[in-house]
Amino acid sequence: MRADRVFAYGAAAGLLGDLLLGDPRRGHPVAAFGRGAGAVEQVLWRDHRGWGALHTAVCVGGAVSAGALAASLVRPSRTASVALTAAATWAVVGGTSLAREARSIGRALEAGDVEAARARLPHLCGRDPQALDADGIARAVVESVAENTSDAVVGALVWGAVGGVPGLLGFRAVNTLDAMVGHKSARYRRFGWAAARLDDLAGWPGARLTAVLATVAGDDPRGAARAWRTDASKHPSPNAGPVEASFAGALGVRLGGTLSYGGRVEHRPVLNAQGHTVAVADIERAVRLSRRVGLLALGVGVAARLVKGRRS
């Protein structure tokens, strides 16, 4: 079986597995990678960019190499190749868990239980929940759904279409490392620099595809395109900007503004200023948009891989 068909069947099966099963409660492969990366950090950590780059190279290179070795071992068997691609896709895609967490917070807000919503918010994003009221929590959820649609679904499918199993595992390794060491704390400002920059590079194509698909699949394509064009560059993140701006325009809501991370207050520009304040009902709308974007991304990735396979 050609590699393009292996990816098509395997990625579709893996995404279906995520839709039906979500992430495992225990023993998730990404968590295992995180523990391994943490162990490597204990050996390599120095307050220096070079040592951080070495840490990134070891961890990401190990994930890519493991994927390449596994793919080469099963290549003689079509069934095993499809199964490996499906397992890798299921392991790195997190759309169902994203939707579950968002909806759990939405149900708490609908019931008027702001404290329960605050308790669940750290499972979804790194905001300081005690600094947020109900509207602020709803806005944080919608922003996190938008950004994680790119990071946890579309970006992985893009790199899977480009590089197969090694691409899937490599992208998730980069994204996980950025979450672990890529933030601007005193410990990681220099050590995590390489992981953060590599995540920006790896996330670039997935973020743009996410913005395109949100524009196509949203309720207001014209508004999504306008918000992306006018507001994306205002965001401090080169990849979150297009994604959040297009989601804001597609949903007709305002995103951005003041937020708090780890006790640090940030004042970000407003995205889609003509939209309405995020309401609890917009959480479900954002989750549905995220689902549509993920399915369209699978279609785009499969189609691109099939076209590439025919040409070669």
Side-chain angles (χ1 to χ4, degrees):
M1 184 183 294
R2 293 191 332 221
D4 54 345
R5 293 182 181 177
V6 167
F7 174 76
Y9 297 149
L15 193 61
L16 179 62
D18 177 66
L19 290 172
L20 295 176
L21 303 174
D23 292 333
R25 298 292 183 183
R26 296 180 180 178
H28 197 293
V30 175
F33 170 82
R35 289 191 294 271
V40 175
E41 179 188 339
Q42 294 301 314
V43 176
L44 296 181
W45 187 90
R46 305 287 190 281
D47 191 16
H48 190 276
R49 286 185 176 184
W51 285 94
L54 178 61
H55 175 256
T56 300
V58 168
C59 295
V60 176
V64 172
S65 298
L69 177 61
S72 67
L73 290 175
V74 302
R75 189 168 291 124
S77 169
R78 292 177 295 179
T79 301
S81 295
V82 171
L84 177 64
T85 303
T89 302
W90 167 78
V92 305
V93 168
T96 294
S97 294
L98 172 65
R100 286 176 180 171
E101 290 296 340
R103 284 170 169 158
S104 175
I105 297 170
R107 286 192 296 269
L109 292 175
E110 287 175 352
D113 193 345
V114 177
E115 287 304 317
R118 285 175 176 149
R120 293 299 307 177
L121 188 63
H123 294 266
L124 187 64
C125 65
R127 306 283 177 87
D128 294 333
Q130 298 305 317
L132 299 173
D133 57 11
D135 289 344
I137 293 172
R139 191 192 83 196
V141 171
V142 171
E143 290 174 349
S144 296
V145 167
E147 185 172 0
N148 283 294
T149 298
S150 176
D151 289 342
V153 183
V154 179
L157 293 172
V158 166
W159 283 102
V162 171
V165 171
L168 288 164
L169 300 187
F171 176 79
R172 179 52 59 222
V174 171
N175 196 245
T176 303
L177 273 187
D178 179 60
M180 293 177 65
V181 304
H183 42 87
K184 296 180 180 179
S185 65
R187 178 178 175 85
Y188 296 124
R189 187 176 299 275
R190 281 179 282 272
F191 184 81
W193 176 86
R197 298 290 76 74
L198 184 58
D199 184 67
D200 287 343
L201 290 173
W204 195 94
R208 273 70 192 170
L209 179 58
T210 301
V212 169
L213 297 179
T215 300
V216 172
D219 298 334
D220 185 0
R222 187 172 297 178
R226 181 182 60 249
W228 180 9
R229 183 178 64 253
T230 61
D231 296 338
S233 61
K234 301 175 183 177
H235 199 286
S237 168
N239 293 332
V243 173
E244 291 186 19
S246 61
F247 262 69
L251 297 170
V253 300
R254 289 195 305 274
L255 300 179
T258 302
L259 49 85
S260 177
Y261 282 103
R264 186 181 72 254
V265 176
E266 294 184 17
H267 301 284
R268 293 183 178 176
V270 173
L271 308 178
N272 193 41
Q274 59 267 54
H276 64 261
T277 301
V278 177
V280 176
D282 293 315
I283 294 176
E284 179 62 26
R285 295 177 61 225
V287 168
R288 291 179 180 177
L289 178 58
S290 174
R291 289 285 201 200
R292 294 195 296 271
V293 167
L295 291 173
L296 287 172
L298 174 64
V300 170
V302 167
R305 192 66 186 261
L306 290 173
V307 169
K308 179 183 176 182
R310 288 180 179 180
R311 288 181 175 178
S312 60

